Amino acid sequence: MNPRNWLSPQRGLGVLALLVVVPTLVTIGGLPGGVFAAAVVIAWLTAPPVFAFVFAQAGLAAVTSPPYPPIVLVGELGVLALAISDPRLPLAARTYGIAIGGVAVLAGAVWVTHTTALWGAVLVSLAGTGMALYGVHRYELLTTGQLSG
């Protein structure tokens, strides 16, 4: 790992993500969660953050079972932060804003699906799919030069 990257904003985000993911894994999973937490920290220190992301996601999947407690959502937010904490990828403030907005939308979707009947989950899924497809369409127009912006 390049020492210059230790002071980047993404590295700071990775530290915050670890401060969320590691206690979440230990709290939910006990000793097995602690093993996964150690693997996440070791991977984050020695390899690109995508490996820490994989260990964290696998750990959360392994130590939880339905019905999922709300702390799993907190852990998933930390896992998302691990995914975007690679200091080799220069991310603009706009990218962070989009990521935070996406997390807020997903958290709202989780809340709606847990507090309503099946129709709520269907509406959230359809709206999310529609917004994602529209975003891909706009990106395609931008990259092909049909949209200035």
Side-chain angles (χ1 to χ4, degrees):
M1 178 154 318
N2 188 346
R4 288 180 302 166
N5 293 338
W6 282 96
L7 300 176
S8 70
Q10 286 97 335
R11 194 46 77 169
L13 179 64
V15 170
L16 289 175
L18 286 175
L19 291 174
V20 171
V21 171
V22 169
T24 302
L25 283 169
V26 172
T27 301
I28 294 173
L31 182 60
V35 171
F36 274 108
V40 169
V41 171
I42 291 169
W44 186 80
L45 289 172
T46 60
V50 69
F51 291 100
F53 166 79
V54 169
F55 282 120
Q57 189 64 55
L60 280 174
V63 299
T64 58
S65 60
Y68 299 109
I71 194 170
V72 173
L73 181 61
V74 173
E76 287 294 340
L77 294 177
V79 169
L80 174 68
L82 277 175
I84 62 172
S85 69
D86 193 347
R88 296 173 299 160
L89 305 172
L91 298 178
R94 181 178 178 186
T95 306
Y96 283 116
I98 291 170
I100 291 169
V103 167
V105 168
L106 288 175
V110 168
W111 179 76
V112 166
T113 58
H114 281 298
T115 58
T116 61
L118 182 60
W119 65 268
V122 170
L123 287 178
V124 167
S125 298
L126 286 174
T129 303
M131 289 186 330
L133 290 174
Y134 179 71
V136 168
H137 168 69
R138 294 289 293 199
Y139 179 74
E140 179 184 28
L141 289 177
L142 187 64
T143 57
T144 58
Q146 299 175 18
L147 181 70
S148 63

